[in-house]
Amino acid sequence: MLAYHPTPIQEIHDPLLEQAGVKVLVKREDLNHPLVSGNKWWKLKFNLEEAQRQKQKTLLTFGGAYSNHIYATAAAAKELGFESIGVIRGEETLPLNATLRFAISCGMRLHYVTREAYRHKHENAFGQELHDRFGDFYLIPEGGTNALAVKGVEEFAQTLNHDVDYLCCAVGTGGTLAGLISGLPDSVKILGFPVLKGGEFLADDIRHYIPSSKSNWSLQTDYHFGGYAKHTPQLLEFIENFNAKNNFAIEFVYTGKLFAGVYDLIAKGFFKRGFAIQLLHTGGIQKTDG
């Protein structure tokens, strides 16, 4: 199994929080593994176990050129002795960026497909073409989200501090939020912050994985800052100020949008005085130089 390092909970101190009378705690899950960090560890856990159970030798997954999931899957495959294949959206661009160079350094083979072809990755014909080209493999979906990923995050959620009023998390494909909803008691309200524009559709994807009785969650869709992997000057300024004041970093794709969104809601009085808010730091800062 992948190595796992227990992670701390860190309280944030800021005049805004003191003025609002709220406590903000950060679960530093970015520290759980040096390379397969944050939610990626939990989303991959049971998928990797299933691949081992099936005696598969190769992992195949999908992602963009800067994908945290491609990065994490390549590192996990190397640690556990799997071969790995990354199906990359878009044409090859040289020189390769740091994410793809890292994936190759872990032994991952990269297979580029056009953006048009990539849209058909869920179709049987596309899958058969991959099998014809690469032989047998264990498939992990884009972003790692499937029932086994949700199961892994649900297991993690059960270990969290439940003595808080809110749990807040960035949302990409929805798998992590689904696991949190399934694993946390109804007493904890869960806020998801989609990082892509038009993230309302994710609600249906999330409902697919959670008990129908669960209603203690919602999506805050106003904090995408332009869309997936995009940013605004205001977001970058927030991240720069936050990183300067705290002893850990957030980035503009996921955690920066989460923290900026929570701070904005605090400033607007969304949370009652005396509330405790826990933010999940899901990693996202890739270590590509070592």
Side-chain angles (χ1 to χ4, degrees):
M1 197 56 232
L2 283 175
Y4 180 84
H5 305 288
T7 60
I9 295 174
Q10 182 173 337
E11 184 173 357
I12 300 296
H13 298 281
D14 187 280
L16 171 66
L17 313 183
E18 296 173 6
Q19 182 179 353
V22 298
K23 177 185 287 189
V24 173
L25 305 169
V26 181
K27 177 60 171 171
R28 294 290 310 280
E29 205 58 15
D30 56 309
L31 300 176
N32 63 13
H33 189 283
L35 298 173
V36 191
S37 70
N39 59 331
K40 298 305 181 188
W41 196 98
W42 294 99
K43 292 175 81 173
L44 287 171
K45 176 184 177 181
F46 288 114
N47 276 290
L48 294 170
E49 288 186 3
E50 179 62 17
Q52 290 175 328
R53 188 191 69 80
Q54 294 182 15
K55 295 181 168 49
Q56 295 282 359
K57 297 180 180 179
T58 302
L59 308 176
L60 182 143
T61 195
F62 305 86
Y66 294 89
S67 167
N68 288 333
H69 173 66
I70 288 288
Y71 179 101
T73 302
K78 180 179 180 181
E79 181 171 326
L80 296 180
F82 288 103
E83 300 292 327
S84 62
I85 300 165
V87 180
I88 307 301
R89 180 180 64 249
E91 304 292 341
E92 181 180 30
T93 301
L94 297 175
L96 295 179
N97 66 39
T99 301
L100 297 183
R101 290 199 308 272
F102 173 83
I104 290 174
S105 76
C106 291
M108 177 174 274
R109 287 181 286 168
L110 303 183
H111 175 59
Y112 299 88
V113 299
T114 65
R115 294 179 181 276
E116 173 59 30
Y118 193 86
R119 296 189 185 100
H120 300 283
K121 62 183 179 295
H122 299 299
E123 298 177 6
N124 291 335
F126 190 95
Q128 186 58 54
E129 180 182 333
L130 292 175
H131 278 287
D132 291 343
R133 177 183 291 267
F134 297 114
D136 202 16
F137 54 76
Y138 181 85
L139 188 148
I140 301 175
E142 181 178 33
T145 291
N146 58 13
L148 289 175
V150 174
K151 177 184 176 183
V153 179
E154 180 178 355
E155 179 182 89
F156 164 66
Q158 292 166 356
T159 72
L160 287 171
N161 173 19
H162 297 166
D163 190 24
V164 296
D165 299 285
Y166 279 88
L167 187 285
C168 302
C169 180
V171 179
T173 56
T176 297
L177 199 74
L180 293 171
I181 294 166
S182 297
L184 286 167
D186 291 343
S187 59
V188 179
K189 296 181 177 65
I190 303 165
L191 298 182
F193 290 75
V195 300
L196 66 164
K197 186 183 294 187
E200 293 84 1
F201 77 92
L202 289 165
D204 289 335
D205 294 348
I206 291 165
R207 290 190 189 98
H208 176 73
Y209 290 109
I210 65 174
S212 58
S213 60
K214 287 284 188 177
S215 60
N216 58 324
W217 63 282
S218 64
L219 297 178
Q220 300 291 320
T221 57
D222 293 334
Y223 299 102
H224 54 77
F225 294 93
Y228 181 74
K230 295 182 179 179
H231 53 76
T232 63
Q234 292 80 5
L235 176 64
L236 295 182
E237 181 180 4
F238 173 86
I239 291 171
E240 182 179 2
N241 290 335
F242 183 93
N243 290 348
K245 294 177 182 178
N246 296 279
N247 64 348
F248 65 92
I250 55 178
E251 43 70 50
F252 70 85
V253 180
Y254 288 100
T255 51
K257 294 179 179 181
L258 165 67
F259 280 70
V262 170
Y263 271 55
D264 186 61
L265 291 178
I266 291 172
K268 291 177 177 176
F270 180 91
F271 302 102
K272 294 181 180 178
R273 297 187 70 85
F275 272 12
I277 309 156
Q278 183 164 259
L279 281 66
L280 181 58
H281 194 313
T282 51
I285 297 178
Q286 299 176 1
K287 299 176 182 178
T288 52
D289 297 325

